[in-house]
Structure formats: structure tokens, C-alpha cells
Amino acid sequence: MFGMKHCTWYNCLMRGSNGEEVEHQKNCLHLCPVCLRKLHWSVGFDIRSQYASLLELYETYEVANECFGRDCDFLRRRLSALGDLPEGATMLHTIGNTRRSVPAP
């Protein structure tokens, strides 16, 4: 999907899985930095807004499942780290044939 193959860098959402009986690690619900950048470049979206939306959704299930709790913690840390960036700073914009990660004026 979006020209992305299975992740071989980290334990992320794009890591291949052969089922619970075969895999020793459960997949996370978030993308690693490598896959996030690939998807971000392909589709273009505001990372902070995406993380905030995912956190809102995952919080519903946080107490019911430890995996959701782990991913909620991850998203809170990422949102905290991105907190000082100006609004839209992680949004890709297309100008002519060049893509930039700086907000368009």
C-alpha cells in the first residue's frame, strides 16, 4: 500500500506478521520513524493532528487492553515532543513539482 513494503527496521505497524502462533512479538499500532516518513511523503498529513486523533480513539480502549495502553503512552510522548512546533509544521505542501515540509505562506 502506498508503495510501502513490510518494515524490517523496527517493530511497527508495517512489520510483517505470520500470525500469533508464529510471531514472538505483537505488532504495535503505530508506525516507526522510517515508515512514518514514507507514508508522510506519499500522502502528506499533519503528524501532530494524526497522533492526536489516534490518541483520542485509542484512549477508549486503553484500560481494556495493555497494547492500547502502551500505544497511548507512545502517542502522548510523541505529542509532547511535537508540542513546541508551530501549527502545521509537520504538514507537507506541494509547490510546483517540489514537496517541502515547511508550511506554505
Side-chain angles (χ1 to χ4, degrees), residues 85-104:
L85 293 176
E87 186 69 30
T90 63
M91 182 69 184
L92 282 177
H93 297 280
T94 303
I95 300 174
N97 291 332
T98 306
R99 296 188 88 157
R100 339 178 317 182
S101 56
V102 179

Side-chain angles (χ1 to χ4, degrees), residues 46-57:
D46 183 56
I47 294 171
R48 186 171 40 192
S49 297
Q50 183 67 20
Y51 279 168
S53 296
L54 286 172
L55 180 59
E56 184 179 338
L57 176 67

Side-chain angles (χ1 to χ4, degrees), residues 13-75:
L13 183 64
M14 292 300 295
R15 185 175 66 89
S17 177
N18 293 316
E20 282 190 34
E21 294 80 32
V22 179
E23 299 294 332
H24 66 283
Q25 267 183 314
K26 295 197 182 292
N27 282 9
C28 298
L29 295 174
H30 58 268
L31 296 170
C32 71
V34 175
C35 293
L36 177 65
R37 184 63 180 148
K38 288 178 186 177
L39 185 64
H40 186 244
W41 184 255
S42 295
V43 179
F45 54 91
D46 183 56
I47 294 171
R48 186 171 40 192
S49 297
Q50 183 67 20
Y51 279 168
S53 296
L54 286 172
L55 180 59
E56 184 179 338
L57 176 67
Y58 293 176
E59 282 177 329
T60 306
Y61 306 101
E62 183 175 13
V63 295
N65 186 300
E66 69 181 54
C67 293
F68 278 104
R70 180 190 63 214
D71 287 319
C72 284
D73 291 341
F74 168 82
L75 291 169

